[in-house]
Amino acid sequence: MSDEIKVPVDEPVPDWASSYNAKEYPRQSVTGDAVALALDTCGARGTVRALLVERGGVPYQGLDAWPGGFMDWDGDEDTRQAAIRELHEETGLQAPEFVEALGSYSRNGRDPRQFAGYRDEATGEWIARGARVTTAAYLMLTARAVEPQPADDAARAHWADVYDYLPWEDLRDERRQASLGSIVQALDGWAHTAPDGVERVRELFGLRDWNEERTAERWALLMEAELVPEARRDVWGRAQRREDDGLFGREMAFDHRQILADALGRVRGKIKYTPAALMALTGPEATLDELQAACEAVAGRPLHRSNFRRAVAPAEHGKSRAPRIVARTGRRRPREGKGPGVAPELYAFLPDAVRARLDTSIRFPWLHLAPEDEGSA
């Protein structure tokens, strides 16, 4: 609906509306970003994939980013609609059923186009032509990573492993834990000079007390220590490179790795108290092994198998206080091939659990990431 239609033609215009001039205020722009995540259970171990586009234009040409863009002044009702529209325009995909607001990002300088302009050759005066950009990000969870088709200003669209961008967040094997140890060593010099640096590194990156939900805080610490290229950018978005940048994962455009860290932390928390979020990733039916693999992929850490089963599907007439989120269907998942073994039983999410937030969150039985007699990493 156009502005002309929205303005009543048969009513007098208020004095304030006639005198107001937006040009008297700093220029602002608003964008919507689609943060779409999907579960990938292919291969020996599952993971979480993010739907990203490779930027075809400047700034950050060639870097991965979330599908998104500026609001359509006339066509978009709000930033949610803008994010959904941009998702379709840049990847060809429709938004899944699970969509919720993730957060608003307005840090000064997050988009280098804020500083666009030129210097007048005659007067030497700087002519500013940019606008400060605020984005609203929307978390979208889906069980199917449908192949995208790049369009608009995206060079390509693809699903990528989130742990390629946040490698320290996946600690399901000793190799990953050793990589985390290298990151802690890189933090050591900074930690001894920053206020409470040693304690903060131990609290956030220590294996013994690892909290998988604190992804945003770990990212903020790496930014503060300037160990990631995003922390070393000039106003035009150009980063100073270091030889060990590869240790800290793949760089993303704008502040989109911060958005990824926020999204991953959000999902890690939601699977504990919002069964709808877990169901969005697995589908309405799954085996208990598939549910465990999904939770491990999201959390980036292993679970105790038998205790996990009791946590999500306790006996109906037992004394367990754990919330039941799934129940037997009486059907089994067909086995691939003709090898020996019993086909696994399918479980379905309980409608009452899916529609509500759990009063008591699920206490996942995480396996220890470090031996009991070891200190923090």
Side-chain angles (χ1 to χ4, degrees):
M1 185 178 292
S2 68
D3 294 331
E4 288 75 12
I5 296 176
K6 290 182 179 179
V7 176
V9 296
D10 56 348
E11 297 181 9
V13 178
D15 291 341
W16 68 264
S18 300
S19 60
Y20 178 83
N21 185 358
K23 293 181 180 180
E24 296 176 357
Y25 301 92
R27 290 179 291 273
Q28 304 282 338
S29 293
V30 179
T31 62
D33 285 329
V35 184
L37 303 178
L39 188 69
D40 182 358
T41 57
C42 298
R45 183 177 60 188
T47 191
V48 178
R49 296 198 176 275
L51 179 58
L52 304 173
V53 295
E54 179 184 319
R55 285 187 57 79
V58 293
Y60 303 121
Q61 186 172 15
L63 289 185
D64 286 334
W66 299 111
F70 294 96
M71 287 189 65
D72 186 314
W73 183 267
D74 293 328
D76 292 330
E77 187 69 25
D78 51 27
T79 52
R80 185 181 189 273
Q81 187 174 342
I84 291 174
R85 174 182 55 77
E86 288 286 343
L87 173 71
H88 180 65
E89 290 180 358
E90 294 191 342
T91 71
L93 303 185
Q94 302 291 341
E97 291 186 10
F98 190 103
V99 179
E100 70 173 33
L102 176 63
S104 178
Y105 298 83
S106 57
R107 180 180 55 81
N108 190 26
R110 61 173 299 275
D111 189 325
R113 289 171 292 191
Q114 171 182 342
F115 307 107
Y118 65 95
R119 192 168 300 282
D120 187 286
E121 295 183 357
T123 65
E125 179 185 3
W126 176 257
I127 308 299
R129 300 184 65 179
R132 187 164 177 175
V133 182
T134 294
T135 196
Y138 289 85
L139 178 65
M140 305 179 183
L141 302 180
T142 178
R144 298 181 62 239
V146 179
E147 189 67 24
Q149 299 295 326
D152 202 7
D153 59 352
R156 71 183 182 112
H158 62 110
W159 290 95
D161 190 335
V162 298
Y163 298 119
D164 287 344
Y165 303 86
L166 306 174
W168 58 87
E169 293 294 340
D170 184 8
L171 301 175
R172 286 175 286 172
D173 57 45
E174 293 182 357
R175 179 182 62 85
R176 292 282 196 173
Q177 293 180 24
S179 176
L180 175 67
S182 298
I183 290 175
V184 172
Q185 290 179 6
L187 280 164
D188 184 68
W190 168 85
H192 284 85
T193 61
D196 301 321
V198 174
E199 291 76 11
R200 292 159 63 195
V201 171
R202 183 181 297 116
E203 179 183 2
L204 290 172
F205 287 89
L207 285 177
R208 170 174 288 185
D209 301 316
W210 184 263
N211 185 333
E212 68 281 352
E213 293 184 45
R214 301 181 72 175
T215 55
E217 293 174 78
R218 282 188 283 272
W219 173 253
L221 193 67
L222 294 173
M223 286 285 289
E224 185 179 345
E226 298 187 356
L227 290 176
V228 290
E230 285 92 331
R232 305 189 298 270
R233 289 171 174 168
D234 61 16
V235 294
W236 310 119
R238 300 171 299 195
Q240 299 176 0
R241 303 297 174 184
R242 293 180 181 173
E243 292 183 0
D244 63 348
D245 279 347
L247 177 65
F248 300 94
R250 296 177 59 181
E251 180 184 1
M252 293 183 72
F254 307 105
D255 52 0
H256 287 195
R257 263 210 290 183
Q258 177 190 342
I259 296 175
L260 173 58
D262 290 348
L264 186 59
R266 170 77 66 85
V267 178
R268 286 175 169 182
K270 290 191 77 71
I271 62 172
K272 299 175 184 178
Y273 61 83
T274 308
L278 182 57
M279 187 181 75
L281 292 169
T282 65
E285 295 184 349
T287 69
L288 292 182
D289 282 343
E290 290 168 348
L291 287 175
Q292 179 176 342
C295 293
E296 290 179 333
V298 170
R301 59 185 303 184
L303 284 157
H304 188 283
R305 187 171 186 269
S306 59
N307 288 346
F308 171 78
R309 291 166 176 250
R310 285 192 287 269
V312 299
E316 294 186 32
H317 305 292
K319 297 181 179 180
S320 174
R321 299 177 62 184
R324 295 180 68 247
I325 64 171
V326 295
R328 288 187 167 95
T329 64
R331 293 177 286 103
R332 294 185 177 274
R333 173 81 74 198
R335 290 178 58 85
E336 296 183 2
K338 299 181 179 180
V342 178
E345 186 174 4
L346 280 169
Y347 284 70
F349 281 88
L350 295 170
D352 290 344
V354 170
R355 287 193 292 265
R357 175 188 172 114
L358 300 179
D359 292 332
T360 303
S361 64
I362 301 172
R363 297 179 63 86
F364 285 124
W366 305 118
L367 293 177
H368 293 294
L369 295 174
E372 289 294 326
D373 57 349
E374 274 193 18
S376 297

